[in-house]
Amino acid sequence: MKKLVIVSVSVLSLAVMAAPGICAAKKAEKTDAKAKFDQHCVACHPKGGNIIRPDKTLSKKSLAGHGIKSEKDIVAKMRNPGAGMTKFDAKAVPDAEATAIAKYILTTFK
Ligand code: HEC
């Protein structure tokens, strides 16, 4: 019985120690994607809008209306944009970073 108590206490304290670490990692990922968005995209897409082509914002509705539904579609747009948008190749924005920006867009702008 005593052993069981010790085991469960140590499992509990492990969980307590791990939890803030997991939260911090999640937060860092989000902050990082936002920082990257602010660095590369925000000049033309403030608050998910579009200062050059107001009909092509980053809202879910606008994206879906233009066949952009997933992170992959957004990355494809960065790699091969339309008129007026800067091209971001894998050298400018590596795949992992591009995917993080895409996830940020899909979860941030409604
Ligand atoms: C120099 C201005 C400029 C910058 C910088 C820019 N964009 Fe754009 N973006 C545009 C313009 C103009 C369009 C409309 C033309 C098109 O469809 O490519 C557009 C369109 C888009 C669309 C499609 C929107 C829709 O509703 O169809 C996505 C997604 C997008 N941009 C993502 C990004 C991301 C991600 C970045 C940063 C990595 C970025 N853009 C940086 C100007 C820019």
Side-chain angles (χ1 to χ4, degrees):
M1 187 58 192
K2 201 171 178 191
K3 203 170 175 189
L4 191 69
V5 169
I6 290 167
V7 168
S8 45
V9 164
S10 49
V11 167
L12 201 72
S13 51
L14 262 182
V16 168
M17 283 191 304
I22 293 164
C23 293
K26 260 207 166 137
K27 200 168 170 197
E29 193 181 280
K30 182 137 197 190
T31 314
D32 199 42
K34 183 184 185 300
K36 294 294 170 193
F37 179 84
D38 288 351
Q39 179 186 347
H40 297 295
C41 325
V42 86
C44 299
H45 297 290
K47 293 189 181 145
N50 190 329
I51 58 162
I52 298 173
R53 287 282 307 269
D55 58 319
K56 290 206 163 179
T57 72
L58 303 182
S59 73
K60 266 214 170 91
K61 205 171 146 203
S62 176
L63 293 176
H66 303 126
I68 300 170
K69 297 198 169 82
S70 66
E71 290 165 15
K72 237 173 75 190
D73 297 333
I74 293 179
V75 174
K77 176 61 109 182
M78 292 162 66
R79 303 297 189 227
N80 192 15
M85 178 165 153
T86 315
K87 182 183 169 103
F88 299 92
D89 60 17
K91 241 194 222 152
V93 181
D95 280 345
E97 211 174 291
T99 305
I101 292 174
K103 194 183 264 175
Y104 171 76
I105 289 173
L106 288 175
T107 53
T108 306
F109 307 118
K110 306 286 173 202

